[in-house]
Amino acid sequence: MADVARRAGVSRTLVSLVLRDRPGAGAATRERVLKAADELGYRPDSAAQMLARGRSRTLGVLMNLEQPFHAEVVKAIYPAAAQLGYDVLLSAVAPGRDEHMATGALLGHRCEALVLLVSDPESHSTEQLGGAVPTVVVGRKAATPGVDSVHTAEAKGVRQAVDHLVELGHRRIVHIDGGKGPGSADRRTAYRAAMRRHRLADEIRVIPGAQDEDAGIAAGMLLLGEDTLPTAVLAANDRCAIGLMHALRSGGVDVPGQVSIVGYDDSNLSHLSHINLTTVRQDATGIAEHAVRNAVERLENSALPARETVCDAKLVVRASTAPPR
C-alpha cells in the first residue's frame, strides 16, 4: 500500500480506504489509486488482513468433486458469501482424503464456519465440528445439537416422481438406493410411503446402490439378468440414473419404451439431448443462500437453537419417462 500511495501521490490511509471501498476519497482520487494499484500489480494480503482484524471472515466448504450438484451449490455459495462480506475456501473429499482430513485443512486455514456438502451420518465428526465452529450440514437433517441443516423436501420430490410414474400407468417401480449419500435415507423412506399410498406395497423393491454411475450400471446389470424387467426405476440421483440408462441401453433395452427412468438433482448432465432425463430438481441457489446465511448468523449469535431449513423440490419431466408398453 505504501508503493501504491507513492505512485498515486496520496496517503497510505487514503489508499486503504479506496481499496476497502470505503467513503473518504473523491472519484478522481479513487480512480488514480485504483490505476496505480493495477499498474503495480497490487493484491491484498489476506493473511495479513486476518491478523490485523483478528478474524478470517472465511467460510469453509467441504465438497465432493465428483458430484455435479455440489458444483452447482458451490457456484451459488460464492456470491451469497460475498454479499455478506465473507470469502470462501473449498476442500474436497477424494481417494485417500477422507472427511476428517478435508475438514482439518479448512480449520487449519482458520475458517470461521463450515458448510458441509459431504457428511457421513454415522460419523461423530459433525458433532465434534459443531462444538468447535458454526457448522451447517447440506443435504440431510442434522441430529447434532447446535448444527444447522439445509436440505430439499425429499418426501415431496419423491412423491412427485412416483405420482408421475403411476399416472403414466406404471406399477412395477423399483428404487435404487443411494447408500450413505445425502438425502438417500429420506428418499428411500419416501419411495416406500409413496408406493403404499398408491396401494403398490407388493411392488416395493429397493436395490442397494450409491449416488454414482457405477451403482446405476450395477443395478442395470442385475435387472438385465432377471426374467422380468420393472417398467420404471427411480434412481438415487442423476449420476446413478445415467449409469442405469447406459447399462440398459447397452443390453438392448429401450428407454423409455421398456423401462422409464427418473433421476434426482436436475444436474447439468440431465439436460443433455441424448440423456434428456426426467428428474427431481433441487434448488441449488436457495440451498446455498440458506446455508451461508445460517452459518453467518450463527457466527454472530452462537446461542441460536439448531435450525432446519427445507427447500422446495420440483419434478422436471423430460424424455426418459413414458407410459409402459
Side-chain angles (χ1 to χ4, degrees):
M1 281 197 290
D3 293 337
V4 174
R6 281 193 295 271
R7 174 69 68 92
V10 298
S11 68
R12 180 169 175 167
T13 300
L14 197 58
V15 170
S16 177
L17 291 174
V18 171
L19 295 179
R20 289 185 292 127
D21 200 22
R22 300 291 176 83
T29 301
R30 181 178 296 274
E31 184 178 350
R32 193 163 73 248
V33 169
L34 292 176
K35 181 181 179 182
D38 185 59
E39 291 173 349
L40 292 169
Y42 172 82
R43 294 290 182 274
D45 186 333
S46 57
Q49 290 177 341
M50 180 182 69
L51 290 172
R53 65 188 176 218
R55 292 189 58 185
S56 70
R57 295 194 70 85
T58 300
L59 304 180
V61 178
L62 180 67
M63 66 178 295
N64 185 330
L65 293 173
E66 295 181 345
Q67 293 294 351
F69 183 68
H70 287 190
E72 294 299 310
V73 175
V74 168
K75 280 197 298 186
I77 283 177
Y78 275 106
Q83 189 172 19
L84 297 176
Y86 283 80
D87 291 327
V88 175
L89 185 65
L90 302 179
S91 186
V93 171
R97 194 170 194 264
D98 59 15
E99 288 182 33
H100 181 73
M101 294 174 65
T103 53
L106 293 173
L107 295 176
H109 284 86
R110 301 190 182 184
C111 292
E112 293 186 338
L114 300 180
V115 176
L116 307 181
L117 305 184
V118 181
S119 59
D120 186 346
E122 298 178 2
S123 171
H124 297 292
S125 60
T126 304
E127 182 176 349
Q128 295 167 351
L129 290 172
V133 294
T135 301
V136 181
V137 172
V138 172
R140 69 169 87 250
K141 299 175 183 177
T144 305
V147 174
D148 295 327
S149 64
V150 180
H151 61 90
T152 298
E154 308 288 359
K156 179 180 179 180
V158 170
R159 184 170 62 249
Q160 290 179 41
V162 174
D163 287 352
H164 167 66
L165 293 170
V166 171
E167 287 168 6
L168 287 174
H170 294 278
R171 292 180 56 82
R172 298 197 309 278
I173 304 169
V174 169
H175 175 50
I176 304 175
D177 180 39
K180 295 182 180 180
S184 293
D186 289 335
R187 292 172 200 174
R188 181 170 59 246
T189 300
Y191 158 76
R192 290 191 171 111
M195 292 289 282
R196 292 190 187 100
R197 189 166 59 86
H198 286 289
R199 299 180 180 178
L200 296 174
D202 291 343
E203 301 291 346
I204 291 174
R205 181 184 179 187
V206 178
I207 298 176
Q211 293 184 351
D212 56 38
E213 294 85 356
D214 288 344
I217 291 171
M221 298 303 293
L222 174 68
L223 294 174
L224 286 170
E226 297 177 350
D227 294 335
T228 305
L229 286 169
T231 63
V233 179
L234 171 61
N237 67 348
D238 288 353
R239 291 181 63 196
C240 180
I242 291 168
L244 172 67
M245 188 179 294
H246 170 75
L248 292 181
R249 285 177 173 169
S250 297
V253 174
D254 179 36
V255 177
Q258 291 173 268
V259 179
S260 288
I261 298 176
V262 180
Y264 206 106
D265 284 345
D266 193 29
S267 62
N268 288 335
L269 294 174
S270 66
H271 304 189
L272 298 176
S273 60
H274 67 287
I275 296 175
N276 216 7
L277 181 68
T278 295
T279 182
V280 178
R281 175 179 295 160
Q282 298 200 72
D283 181 7
T285 299
I287 288 172
E289 291 173 349
H290 283 297
V292 169
R293 191 179 307 119
N294 286 358
V296 171
E297 288 177 356
R298 188 163 294 284
L299 274 171
E300 297 171 351
N301 182 5
S302 60
L304 285 172
R307 294 163 295 178
E308 179 184 356
T309 305
V310 182
C311 296
D312 198 21
K314 182 180 179 181
L315 182 71
V316 180
V317 178
R318 296 195 181 95
S320 67
T321 51
R325 288 179 180 174

